[in-house]
Amino acid sequence: MNSSMLVDLNQRSRELMPGFIVSVVVAAAACFLSEHYGAPVMLFALLLGMGLNFLATDSKCKAGIEFTARTVLRVGIALLGMRITLGQITALGWQPVALVITLVVVTISVSVIAAKVLGFQKLFGMLTGGATAICGASAALALSAALPNHPQKEKATLFTVIGVSALSTLAMIVYPMIANWLELSPQAAGVFLGATIHDVAQVVGAGYSMSTETGDTATVVKLMRVAMLLPVIVCAAMITRMQGADSTGQRPPLLPWFAVGFLVLACINSTGWVPVVVQGGLNELSRWCLVIAISALGMKTQLKELASVGIKPILLMVGESVFLVILVLTLMHWWF
C-alpha cells in the first residue's frame, strides 16, 4: 500500500512539476521587474504569464499550471492570516473597526447593484467590489476561489486583478496629495490611506511617504480590511452552495479550507508566540504563493479575450474606487 502510494505520488509530482516550475520562473521574473521598475508585482506576473499562454495547452505543462492556479493560490490566501492580530485591531478603538466594516459592506453592496445595472452578473460586482473594498488583487483571487465556477470567471478575475493593480498604483500617488490638500492629521491621514488604497504594498508605500505615524496607522487599518476577507469569503461560499452542486456533483463546503487556515493562523498570530522571523517568512511565502498562482492564471488566459471586455467594466472599477474615497471621507467626518 505504502509503495503504491509512493509511486502515485511520484507520478503525480512528475506530472505537475513542469507547469509549476514555469509558474515559479515567471513569478521570479515578475519580482525582478517589480523591484527595478516600481510597478505592482501582480501586474507583471499577469502580463508575463499571458505572454506564455500557449503553455497552458501544452500536455506537459497543463496539469501543473492548473494545480498552481488553484491549489497554490489557496495556500497563499490561507497564509495571509499571519498578517493579522486582534491586538492591532483593538489598539485603534471602535471607530476604525466600524469604518472598515461599513465600507466593506456598503462598497460591495453598491458594486453588486452597479454591476447589475451595467448588465453584468451580480457575482462580477461582488468580485470587483471585494477587490476594491478589501485588499486588491489578493481579495479578487480569494473571492474567485470561493465563488461558483462559470465560463467567464477566470477572465473576470484576471481583468479585476489588472484593473485593481493599476488603480492601486495610481491611488498610491494621488491619495497622499488628497490627504495633504484636506490637511488631515497624521493619524487621520493614515486612516484615510489605509481605508481607501487597494493593495497592502501600496498602502505601506503611501503611508510611510507621509510620516511614520501615518504609515503605522495606515498599515493597521489596511490589515483590518484584510481581516474582512474571511466573512466575505464565507458569504461567497454560501452563495455558491445556494446555487447547488458544482460540475462534479458535490456541494462546496460552507467554509473553504483556505478560509479556515486564514482564521487559524490569524488566531495563532494574535497570541504573540510566533517569532518575528517565522512570521516574516510565512508572510513572504504567502506573497510568493500568490505571485506564482497569478502567473499560472495569466498563462490560462488569452490577451484578446481581456481586450474584448469593453469600457463598462473599467467604468465600474473606477466608479467603485471613487465611491470608496467619498464614503470613507464622509464616515471620517461623522466619526472622527
Side-chain angles (χ1 to χ4, degrees):
M1 179 68 179
N2 287 338
S3 136
S4 90
M5 282 177 66
L6 284 172
V7 170
D8 289 343
L9 186 62
N10 186 39
Q11 186 177 350
R12 181 66 174 157
S13 298
R14 279 186 294 174
E15 187 182 317
L16 299 179
M17 200 52 66
F20 177 72
I21 289 173
V22 168
S23 301
V24 171
V25 170
V26 172
C31 289
F32 175 83
L33 290 171
S34 177
E35 287 170 8
H36 285 76
Y37 295 100
V41 65
M42 295 286 193
L43 197 55
F44 276 127
L46 263 180
L47 296 175
L48 290 174
M50 285 190 284
L52 297 172
N53 58 33
F54 60 91
L55 291 173
T57 56
D58 181 79
S59 58
K60 288 184 180 178
C61 294
K62 185 176 181 180
I65 290 170
E66 293 280 352
F67 167 82
T68 305
R70 185 180 62 255
T71 305
V72 175
L73 168 63
R74 285 161 170 75
V75 171
I77 294 162
L79 290 172
L80 282 174
M82 285 304 292
R83 295 187 182 188
I84 310 290
T85 68
L86 297 175
Q88 289 172 331
I89 294 171
T90 56
L92 283 176
W94 69 268
Q95 293 100 328
V97 176
L99 175 75
V100 167
I101 293 171
T102 304
L103 74 86
V104 169
V105 172
V106 173
T107 302
I108 293 177
S109 301
V110 170
S111 299
V112 169
I113 294 167
K116 196 172 180 183
V117 169
L118 288 170
F120 301 116
Q121 282 199 339
K122 290 187 285 187
L123 293 181
F124 181 61
M126 189 170 188
L127 192 65
T128 58
T132 302
I134 303 172
C135 55
S138 301
L141 294 169
L143 281 169
S144 176
L147 287 170
N149 287 323
H150 184 271
Q152 299 296 315
K153 187 171 87 166
E154 285 182 359
K155 179 179 171 182
T157 303
L158 288 166
F159 176 80
T160 303
V161 170
I162 291 173
V164 84
S165 297
L167 288 169
S168 188
T169 303
L170 184 63
M172 182 177 66
I173 299 164
V174 174
Y175 290 7
M177 297 179 188
I178 294 174
N180 284 326
W181 178 62
L182 294 173
E183 298 180 349
L184 298 177
S185 68
Q187 188 174 27
V191 171
F192 170 68
L193 297 177
T196 53
I197 298 177
H198 310 82
D199 282 309
V200 176
Q202 276 78 2
V203 168
V204 171
Y208 286 106
S209 71
M210 294 188 72
S211 73
T212 302
E213 185 183 353
T214 299
D216 289 345
T217 304
T219 302
V220 174
V221 172
K222 181 62 192 177
L223 291 178
M224 288 163 58
R225 285 168 69 194
V226 175
M228 288 295 293
L229 192 58
L230 181 64
V232 174
I233 286 174
V234 173
C235 290
M238 288 174 68
I239 291 168
T240 304
R241 281 175 69 85
M242 285 189 291
Q243 292 198 357
D246 61 16
S247 56
T248 63
Q250 298 176 328
R251 286 176 70 84
L254 179 60
L255 193 60
W257 67 261
F258 60 89
V260 175
F262 180 97
L263 179 61
V264 169
L265 287 176
C267 291
I268 292 170
N269 198 34
S270 297
T271 63
W273 299 339
V274 182
V276 174
V277 175
V278 174
Q279 189 182 48
L282 289 174
N283 284 337
E284 188 65 12
L285 179 60
S286 171
R287 187 180 77 92
W288 271 101
C289 284
L290 292 176
V291 175
I292 290 167
I294 206 166
S295 301
L297 274 170
M299 289 181 221
K300 289 178 66 180
T301 195
Q302 300 284 339
L303 190 58
K304 60 184 179 183
E305 289 180 1
L306 285 177
S308 68
V309 296
I311 192 68
K312 284 185 179 180
I314 298 170
L315 291 176
L316 176 63
M317 294 197 70
V318 171
E320 287 165 352
S321 298
V322 172
F323 174 80
L324 181 60
V325 169
I326 294 169
L327 176 64
V328 168
L329 288 174
T330 303
L331 292 173
M332 286 178 67
H333 179 70
W334 287 346
W335 291 345
F336 289 81

